Amino acid sequence: MTDVPVDLDRHRGMAAQKATDLRRALAEVENNVRELREREADLENRLMTVAATSWPEAAVKARYLLNLYAASLSTEDTRHRALVTALFDDFARLSGDS
């Protein structure tokens, strides 16, 4: 008996190795999606419960909501996409960002 672990992947066929790699990749992606949703929920709870103390802080909340809105727009809705872009430009200009 040895203390060296056996690399089982080396003893499988290529199809089995690819299937295992795909399952591992899928599990990692699902874990990342779950973590992202938890972080988004935490951010949204903070945005709802903490009152903005300045216009720039309120703009951060508005920017988040506008990004959610823009993501839901269809690609054909160029008018509303342009409006969101113009508003982001206004935020940048008024906040002194370049």
Side-chain angles (χ1 to χ4, degrees):
M1 201 158 109
T2 69
D3 291 332
V4 179
V6 176
D7 183 9
L8 295 176
D9 286 341
R10 195 174 58 183
H11 296 287
R12 294 187 216 180
M14 283 304 289
Q17 286 181 30
K18 287 181 181 181
T20 299
D21 289 343
L22 285 174
R23 282 193 305 275
R24 288 177 182 159
L26 179 60
E28 183 179 350
V29 167
E30 289 172 346
N31 189 43
N32 289 341
V33 167
R34 182 186 49 74
E35 288 177 2
L36 177 61
R37 286 190 181 135
E38 289 172 358
R39 289 177 29 214
E40 284 177 337
D42 181 50
L43 171 64
E44 290 172 359
N45 285 333
R46 287 182 187 185
L47 290 174
M48 283 189 291
T49 58
V50 177
T53 59
S54 65
W55 281 108
E57 288 179 10
V60 167
K61 290 181 178 186
R63 185 170 293 158
Y64 178 77
L65 287 174
L66 284 169
N67 277 320
L68 289 177
Y69 171 69
S72 71
L73 293 174
S74 68
T75 54
E76 296 84 28
D77 195 350
T78 57
R79 180 182 169 113
H80 286 156
R81 287 186 178 282
L83 185 58
V84 169
T85 300
L87 189 53
F88 283 153
D89 291 344
D90 288 343
F91 283 167
R93 181 177 44 80
L94 293 172
S95 69
D97 296 344
S98 54

